[in-house]
């Protein structure tokens, strides 16, 4: 039963990685009636809604069960792709993004809590749990790589078809989620109130610093490899026609998450974190000082690989650090703290990118090295495991 559940989670992650419109998501929106400014406005509204929904969803998940929450969220995920497929104009895309905000805040914490308990919770050896989290992350990346390849080979100019195929893949993911079994509830002390959970994190200042450090690496990767990458490619002389291939290569590097458990076992948590954050920072510096096509792509790949290798370790440490029964709520509080950091980093990246992408890349390097310092101050990393 345990293996079947884990493989179902893998299959769902793979299907939800099949975003066939990923290489042209901005062009798709522009073709269907919204401007770049409206896209950024929708993103800002979406982030605000997502932050507002984080804690309520965590509270709901702890009461109706993680499995039921996942089924509901996967259905809404599927529905959001239907909206995206039929979208035409600002109102449609805003509705799609608001629905997606509800979904992502609902899955945040709940999906990792479900998988953590499905593999046996704290009874599962650390190496094994990190291997499973790494494979789960890699399955989503593998789906995205396949979707980008299929788009480049077969779909190309048919933007609507790419959105329709994504509807099918997310519909299949929702159907699979219906077959997920319930995971056993954690038997601990009575559930604390939401205010007590928030106070628990704020009092745990060292772990709060660790989360902020994690957020700096994650947001640097997200902003640079998703939003600033095209500016760097143009600066390096890469034509737009070949940016799809660059996207495939960068996405493929995210499969490094599968080796995360081996890295942390061999080097220890502290050395692994130094290697990961250091690689991310050096990648940003490399791209800032060298406007070369190959080095730009390699830098993007290195930054993406560093973050992907860190995710299984971070998720495992977050789950093992929780000592209360309201696991999903606590993970939502973690996510809320990290996402609030994203608001500031996004504004900083945007302000500097307006002047030059070089300044934004150097800021990313600064964030990576600052994140490394915060993770060590968090005092949750073991020298040897």
């Amino acid at each position: 039963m345990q293996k079947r559940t884990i493989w179902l989670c893998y299959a769902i992650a793979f299907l939800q990685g099949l975003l066939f419109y990923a290489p042209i998501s901005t062009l798709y929106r522009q073709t269907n009636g919204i401007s770049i400014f409206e896209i950024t406005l929708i993103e800002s509204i979406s982030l605000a809604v997502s932050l507002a929904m984080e804690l309520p969803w965590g509270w709901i998940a702890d009461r109706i069960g993680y499995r039921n929450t996942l089924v509901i969220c996967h259905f809404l995920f599927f529905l959001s792709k239907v909206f995206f497929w039929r979208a035409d104009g600002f109102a449609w895309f805003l509705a799609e993004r608001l629905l997606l905000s509800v979904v992502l805040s609902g899955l945040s914490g709940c999906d990792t809590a479900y998988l953590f308990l499905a593999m046996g919770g704290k009874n599962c050896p650390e190496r094994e749990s990190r291997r499973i989290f790494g494979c789960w992350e890699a399955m989503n990346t593998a789906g995205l790589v396949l979707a980008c390849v299929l788009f480049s080979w077969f779909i190309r100019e048919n933007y609507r078809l790419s959105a329709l195929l994504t509807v099918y893949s997310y519909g299949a993911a929702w159907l699979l989620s219906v077959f997920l079994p319930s995971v056993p509830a954690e038997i601990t002390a009575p559930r604390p109130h939401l205010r007590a959970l928030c106070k628990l994190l704020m009092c745990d200042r060292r772990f709060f610093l660790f989360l902020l450090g994690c957020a700096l690496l994650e947001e640097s990767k997200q902003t640079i490899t998703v939003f600033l990458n095209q500016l760097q490619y143009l600066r390096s002389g890469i034509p737009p026609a070949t940016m799809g291939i660059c996207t495939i290569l960068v996405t493929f590097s995210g499969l490094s998450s599968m080796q995360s458990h081996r890295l942390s076992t061999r080097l220890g948590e502290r050395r692994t974190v130094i290697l990961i954050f250091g690689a991310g920072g050096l990648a940003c510096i490399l791209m800032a000082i060298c406007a070369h096509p190959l080095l730009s792509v390699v830098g993007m790949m290195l930054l993406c690989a560093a973050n992907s290798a860190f995710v299984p370790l971070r998720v495992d440490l977050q789950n093992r650090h929780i000592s209360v029964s309201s696991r999903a709520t606590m993970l939502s509080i973690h996510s809320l703290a990290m996402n609030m950091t994203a608001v500031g980093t996004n504004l900083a990246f945007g302000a500097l990118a307006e002047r030059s992408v070089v300044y934004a890349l150097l800021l990313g390097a600064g964030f990576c090295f600052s994140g490394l310092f915060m993770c060590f101050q968090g005092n949750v990393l073991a020298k040897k495991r």
Side-chain angles (χ1 to χ4, degrees):
M1 177 66 73
Q2 186 185 62
K3 288 185 177 181
R4 173 177 170 271
T5 303
I6 292 172
W7 277 102
L8 274 174
C9 290
Y10 286 169
I12 291 170
F14 177 80
L15 288 169
Q16 291 183 338
L18 292 173
L19 281 169
F20 292 97
Y21 60 80
I24 46 87
S25 59
T26 299
L27 296 177
Y28 183 92
R29 291 176 171 92
Q30 288 181 303
T31 303
N32 289 284
I34 61 173
S35 65
I36 292 293
F37 173 75
E38 288 174 325
I39 293 173
T40 57
L41 176 61
I42 289 173
E43 287 295 318
S44 298
I45 296 172
S46 172
L47 179 58
V49 173
S50 183
L51 289 172
M53 292 297 297
E54 275 285 354
L55 297 185
W57 259 123
W59 184 88
I60 291 170
D62 281 321
R63 278 145 186 83
I64 69 173
Y66 302 156
R67 183 261 178 193
N68 293 334
T69 304
L70 289 177
V71 173
I72 293 170
C73 287
H74 288 320
F75 173 73
L76 295 177
F77 222 162
F78 161 63
L79 192 60
S80 73
K81 299 309 171 188
V82 175
F83 274 47
F84 190 84
W85 168 50
R86 301 302 300 169
D88 185 15
F90 182 84
W92 272 93
F93 282 107
L94 177 60
E96 176 267 336
R97 203 65 191 176
L98 290 177
L99 188 57
L100 187 61
S101 298
V102 174
V103 171
L104 295 179
S105 57
L107 291 177
S108 174
C110 182
D111 50 3
T112 55
Y114 177 89
L115 185 56
F116 185 72
L117 294 178
M119 67 178 77
K122 294 183 179 180
N123 293 324
C124 181
E126 289 183 3
R127 176 183 170 87
E128 180 65 9
S129 65
R130 291 172 187 178
R131 183 189 68 81
I132 293 172
F133 277 129
C135 289
W136 178 62
E137 181 79 11
M139 290 301 289
N140 187 263
T141 301
L144 184 55
V145 170
L146 178 59
C148 291
V149 170
L150 291 176
F151 177 88
S152 300
W153 284 357
F154 302 110
I155 302 172
R156 296 183 179 178
E157 302 298 325
N158 196 340
Y159 293 177
R160 284 289 185 187
L161 177 60
S162 68
L164 178 59
L165 292 175
T166 304
V167 171
Y168 292 150
S169 64
Y170 274 69
W174 166 58
L175 290 176
L176 283 184
S177 72
V178 174
F179 296 97
L180 288 172
S182 298
V183 292
E186 294 178 282
I187 303 175
T188 60
R191 299 182 192 275
H193 294 294
L194 182 58
R195 183 180 299 178
L197 291 174
C198 293
K199 185 177 180 181
L200 187 65
L201 176 61
M202 296 309 297
C203 291
D204 194 354
R205 294 178 182 177
R206 287 186 175 274
F207 191 73
F208 186 72
L209 273 177
F210 170 75
L211 293 178
L212 294 184
C214 296
L216 289 178
L217 174 65
E218 187 165 329
E219 292 308 317
S220 295
K221 174 265 175 185
Q222 176 70 11
T223 305
I224 292 173
T225 65
V226 175
F227 298 108
L228 303 182
N229 57 345
Q230 295 168 42
L231 298 178
Q232 175 65 12
Y233 293 155
L234 289 174
R235 173 174 172 257
S236 304
I238 299 175
T242 60
M243 287 183 186
I245 298 173
C246 298
T247 302
I248 293 172
L249 292 174
V250 174
T251 304
F252 188 78
S253 67
L255 294 175
S256 63
S257 61
M258 296 185 68
Q259 302 302 317
S260 176
H261 67 288
R262 292 178 179 171
L263 194 63
S264 60
T265 300
R266 186 168 186 174
L267 299 180
E269 292 174 2
R270 289 174 175 263
R271 289 181 179 177
T272 299
V273 170
I274 291 174
L275 177 63
I276 287 172
F277 279 75
L282 290 177
C284 293
I285 293 174
L286 176 69
M287 290 185 286
I289 63 178
C290 299
H292 187 278
L294 179 60
L295 293 180
S296 292
V297 175
V298 169
M300 292 291 175
M301 292 177 66
L302 185 58
L303 181 57
C304 182
N307 182 72
S308 295
F310 183 62
V311 169
L313 175 60
R314 171 180 63 80
V315 171
D316 185 63
L317 288 172
Q318 283 181 259
N319 273 281
R320 292 184 184 279
H321 190 76
I322 295 172
S323 58
V324 295
S325 57
S326 301
R327 181 171 299 276
T329 305
M330 203 67 210
L331 287 171
S332 289
I333 294 172
H334 292 179
S335 181
L336 179 62
M338 294 173 68
N339 285 337
M340 289 181 70
T341 304
V343 176
T345 59
N346 286 342
L347 292 173
F349 274 122
L352 289 179
E354 284 288 326
R355 299 174 60 187
S356 171
V357 69
V358 174
Y359 297 142
L361 290 169
L362 291 176
L363 178 65
F367 281 158
C368 288
F369 293 128
S370 298
L372 174 61
F373 174 76
M374 290 181 179
C375 283
F376 271 77
Q377 289 298 308
N379 201 30
V380 297
L381 302 172
K383 294 182 180 179
K384 294 182 180 180
R385 285 282 182 180

